[in-house]
Structure formats: structure tokens, C-alpha cells
Amino acid sequence: MSKTIQSPAGAEHARILGTGGYRPSRVITNEQICQVIDSTDEWIRSRTGIEERRWATAEETVGVMSIAAAGKALAAAGVEAEQLGCVIISTVTHLSQTPSLAADVANQLGAVNAAAFDISAACAGFCHGLALAQDMVRGGSAEYVLVIGVERLSDLTDMNDRSTAFIFGDGAGAAVVGPSQTPGIGPVVWGADGSQYDAIGQTFDWSRLRDEPDAGFPALRMSGQQVFRWASYQMVPVAKKALERAGITADDLDAFIPHQANNRITDAMIKALKLPAHVPVARDIAKTGNTSAASIPLAMERMLEEGEAPHGGVALLIGFGAGLVYAAQVVVLP
Ligand SMILES: CC(C)(COP(=O)(O)OP(=O)(O)OC[C@H]1O[C@@H](n2cnc3c(N)ncnc32)[C@H](O)[C@@H]1OP(=O)(O)O)[C@@H](O)C(=O)NCCC(=O)NCCS
């Protein structure tokens, strides 16, 4: 007769206990971008909402930024690094194929009891990480999970490319997820449309450097209009479903924190969702640019710090990007 084995047992609910962000020190204005590409401050502001972005210095590596953001999130959560059962890092700009950035960051934080791994879900990475973290806490594979979104997109930006040079920024955002007596992270609505695999990507993959050492360094490229249309129209039913599955309506929201891709995408979503005027909307893109996996936690941190969104309030998050992939959920703000 076969033996019966134990199932893991976790907490009934999970929630975000604390967040933290790191914004690198170099402020890059639109005027500086326009010294290289043929564009204007007015064009960049009106087409994207970006006024300036932060670019990391050589010392502000993805590891350094991750540790700074994680330290703030752990302190805000009142959780020690040794209590972490897992460290998940979402990034597309850790430029070493292996080992993972998370293993290094976990070690430097002193998260001696944590599993650690990276995920690649581009600008939807933070929402993917949150979904995994809540499943871990509720499923019993970790009591506390640290989710980090970190990018140095300036490393993969062609400063001469008129279609991307003005968009991207660098930074890190982190959240500690742990057990809760009440629901704190709603059901995730996520997916991937690989038929649009080519919409955002690298100009060429790393293997070309093996055969053509003079090929230069790859950079991000994007079909701006294709991504714009997809995000503005296809993400609305995803956001609606996340609200529906959390059992609330747009009227119940205390904040809307979409991925900071472009203010015009955000505006289109607000309109299609019929978001009431009393719901504050994240506009961190103005000072931060598009930081991919870091954008949602950075925007969340700013809204909480500036008193724009209330601690304990309910926020709709939605991330979308290269893949094309997406993830949305409703959360209770820490
Ligand atoms: C990138 C983006 C801002 C470009 O805006 P757009 O309105 O689609 O721009 P287009 O490429 O259609 O070009 C429109 C006009 O602006 C011009 N233009 C393009 N880039 C320019 C620039 N950097 N500066 C000034 N003018 C520019 C074009 O030459 C074109 O001029 P024309 O009408 O005289 O021919 C927009 O497509 C976008 O934000 N897409 C989504 C990108 C995104 O969010 N990516 C991240 C997802 S995670």
C-alpha cells in the first residue's frame, strides 16, 4: 500500500506588508535626450507624459538598486531578511545569463533561509511576482516572500534611436508579501500573446556577438504604435476582469496604479474603465520614465509617500509589456 504524504499548509490570506523603492541619482532631462535624437521636450511630454527620467551610474548596478529597495521594503514590513522564504526578482536587464540576480541579492541581504530566482515577464513582471508570492504564502511554500522589480534599461537603450531613446528609465521597487487575516491580494488575471512576440524585443540576441564581434551591443526595439494599440484596447477587459474577480467595482478603488508606459495609454484606460474622478491615478512616469518591472512598485511607493493613495486602501494594478504579456490584480495597499 502506498504511503500518504503531507500537503503543504499556508496562511488563509496574503497581503503586501511593506514596499520600498530606489531611484538612481542621475536625472536625465528631455533636453539632454534631444541633444542626441531629433526631437523636442514638448513632443516627448505630449506624446508620453515624460518630463525626465533617472539613469543609473556605473555603481548603481541592478544588485545595488535591488538591495536598497528591498531594505526599505523589509523595514516597512517589519520583517527580517532571515524570515524570507523566497526572493523573486523580475528583470530583463541583469546582463549575466546565469546565475540569477536573486541568488546574489538574497545572499547580500542575509536571506539565508530563502529560495531565490529571477523571472522574465518584462513590464508585467512585478504583478507576476506578486501573484506567485501570494500563492506561495497561501500554499505554504514560504511564509514571507520578497518581490523585486529592477531595471537598468539605459544599458539596453540605443541613445540614437528616435523611437525608444526618450522612453526608458532605471530603478528598483520591492514589496514584502506575507500572511494576512483578511484578503490582501485579489485573484490575478494574466496571460501571454506570443503571436506579438516581435512587438518589443532586442535588436539581436547575444549569440550574434559570438559570430560577429563587431556587431556592437544589442538594444531594445519596439513597434510603438502596435504596443500602444494593444495596451490601450486589449488591457481594458483584463483590468475589468481583475476588478470583477476581486468582487469590487471601479467606484470602490482608492488608487489605480497601471504600468507607467505612457500617460496616453493610462488616459485611454481611465476612459474605457469609466474610472470615477475621485480615484487617484499613478503618474510617476513624469519623473521616472518607463522602468519596466520597477514601474508599478515605484509608482505605488510615491503615491503612498505623497499621501495621494491611502495606506490600507484598495488599488488596481496592471502590468503589460514584451511578450506580449500582462497581469492585473487588486491589492490592499500596505
Ligand atoms: C513611442 C510612441 C510615443 C510614439 O508615438 P507615436 O505617436 O506612435 O509616433 P509615430 O511613430 O506614429 O510617429 C508620429 C510622428 O511623430 C514623429 N516622431 C517619432 N518619434 C519622434 C520623436 N522621438 N520626436 C519627435 N517626433 C517623433 C514621427 O516622425 C511621425 O511624424 P509624421 O507624422 O510627420 O510622420 C508611442 O507609439 C508609444 O508610446 N507607444 C507605446 C510604447 C510603450 O508604451 N512601450 C512600452 C510598453 S511596455
Side-chain angles (χ1 to χ4, degrees):
M1 206 181 93
S2 64
K3 293 243 167 73
T4 305
I5 64 166
Q6 300 284 325
S7 272
E12 191 169 354
H13 305 291
R15 68 185 173 99
I16 300 174
L17 300 170
T19 58
Y22 181 82
R23 296 168 193 273
S25 50
R26 270 197 312 157
V27 176
I28 307 291
T29 63
N30 288 342
E31 282 80 9
Q32 285 169 278
I33 299 286
C34 297
Q35 283 165 10
V36 184
I37 58 166
D38 175 17
S39 188
T40 61
D41 172 50
E42 200 281 327
W43 190 93
I44 297 171
R45 279 176 197 249
S46 62
R47 292 295 173 123
T48 67
I50 300 171
E51 296 164 17
E52 59 188 40
R53 72 288 290 141
R54 301 290 183 106
W55 283 355
T57 61
E59 292 74 34
E60 291 168 317
T61 62
V62 280
V64 163
M65 293 194 289
S66 295
I67 288 162
K72 280 174 81 178
L74 285 164
V79 169
E80 300 295 329
E82 304 89 69
Q83 292 175 272
L84 293 171
C86 190
V87 175
I88 302 172
I89 298 190
S90 180
T91 183
V92 295
T93 45
H94 172 51
L95 299 183
S96 184
Q97 197 73 37
T98 192
S100 71
L101 175 62
D104 183 29
V105 167
N107 177 54
Q108 293 201 51
L109 286 171
V112 289
N113 300 306
F117 56 88
D118 295 353
I119 59 172
S120 175
C123 309
F126 181 74
C127 293
H128 277 70
L130 270 190
L132 295 176
Q134 99 135 334
D135 287 352
M136 287 178 179
V137 171
R138 298 184 66 220
S141 43
E143 190 177 8
Y144 296 99
V145 180
L146 174 64
V147 179
I148 301 173
V150 60
E151 304 291 0
R152 273 178 63 107
L153 291 165
S154 58
D155 281 343
L156 284 185
T157 299
D158 175 355
M159 306 306 172
N160 294 294
D161 179 0
R162 203 165 173 244
S163 62
T164 57
F166 53 89
I167 282 199
F168 298 117
D170 301 339
V176 176
V177 176
S180 171
Q181 312 243 305
T182 51
I185 301 177
V188 68
V189 178
W190 53 1
D193 177 6
S195 71
Q196 301 197 66
Y197 195 72
D198 291 332
I200 309 175
Q202 283 185 205
T203 44
F204 53 86
D205 73 58
W206 305 109
S207 63
R208 184 158 150 200
L209 296 176
R210 196 175 41 208
D211 307 322
E212 295 175 51
D214 296 334
F217 203 65
L220 292 168
R221 45 140 201 85
M222 148 180 99
S223 305
Q225 287 202 10
Q226 182 183 349
V227 178
F228 190 91
R229 275 196 302 271
W230 171 78
S232 301
Y233 299 110
Q234 307 291 316
M235 290 303 98
V236 172
V238 174
K240 281 186 177 162
K241 208 183 274 184
L243 288 171
E244 206 178 285
R245 295 192 64 197
I248 64 166
T249 68
D251 206 41
D252 299 319
L253 287 171
D254 297 301
F256 177 41
I257 313 180
H259 166 49
Q260 301 292 286
N262 184 319
N263 261 349
R264 289 190 300 139
I265 294 176
T266 301
D267 290 339
M269 293 174 84
I270 290 171
K271 201 169 161 207
L273 283 170
K274 298 191 177 69
L275 200 72
H278 65 78
V279 179
V281 178
R283 300 286 186 180
D284 190 37
I285 191 167
K287 300 288 178 200
T288 314
N290 175 344
T291 56
S292 192
S295 93
I296 290 176
L298 279 174
M300 186 187 291
E301 184 196 45
R302 188 190 288 278
M303 289 184 95
L304 288 169
E305 274 182 3
E306 295 184 354
E308 222 186 325
H311 293 282
V314 169
L316 170 63
L317 315 183
I318 180 162
F320 44 86
L324 295 173
V325 300
Y326 58 88
Q329 66 263 96
V330 173
V331 301
V332 175
L333 294 167

